[in-house]
Amino acid sequence: RMTSKEVRFDRGTQKFEEQKLTAYEQRKRKRQYAELLTLQAENERRCGEYEQAYTYLNDAEMWIRDQLGTKDLAFIANQHVRALL
């Protein structure tokens, strides 16, 4: 689950503080997660587990469509791995 806040340690005050993530940081984390999902599918494909790779690609595609949209680079990378399958 993606959150909009993060706990960081402030060395000046020696305390943990909750900070809100910027829209850029949130999108960056979503892209990183999408990359992990696609990488998981690509790994299965390279190991010869084509049915499992197909399942992972479908799950990743649905998540990317919902969270990032079809015009994001993560979606394009997902489709590239699908074409290699």
Side-chain angles (χ1 to χ4, degrees):
R1 179 181 136 172
M2 295 287 168
T3 62
S4 60
K5 295 181 181 179
E6 178 178 73
V7 177
R8 296 179 182 169
F9 184 73
D10 184 8
R11 292 183 184 201
T13 62
Q14 296 293 313
K15 294 181 181 179
F16 289 99
E17 296 178 353
E18 193 172 273
Q19 294 179 340
K20 186 173 181 178
L21 295 174
T22 64
Y24 174 78
E25 289 172 326
Q26 288 178 1
R27 191 148 184 95
K28 182 179 175 184
R29 288 190 182 188
K30 287 179 181 181
R31 280 192 181 127
Q32 289 172 340
Y33 183 66
E35 184 179 353
L36 285 174
L37 293 174
T38 302
L39 186 62
Q40 182 181 24
E42 186 173 5
N43 187 45
E44 292 295 329
R45 178 189 65 84
R46 288 184 178 185
C47 290
E49 299 292 333
Y50 300 114
E51 291 179 15
Q52 188 66 39
Y54 184 76
T55 302
Y56 286 149
L57 282 171
N58 281 340
D59 293 344
E61 181 180 342
M62 287 188 302
W63 189 88
I64 293 168
R65 279 181 189 268
D66 291 342
Q67 299 295 321
L68 297 170
T70 58
K71 295 182 180 178
D72 195 85
L73 290 176
F75 184 78
I76 296 167
N78 182 273
Q79 295 302 304
H80 174 72
V81 173
R82 182 182 296 278
L84 295 175
L85 190 64

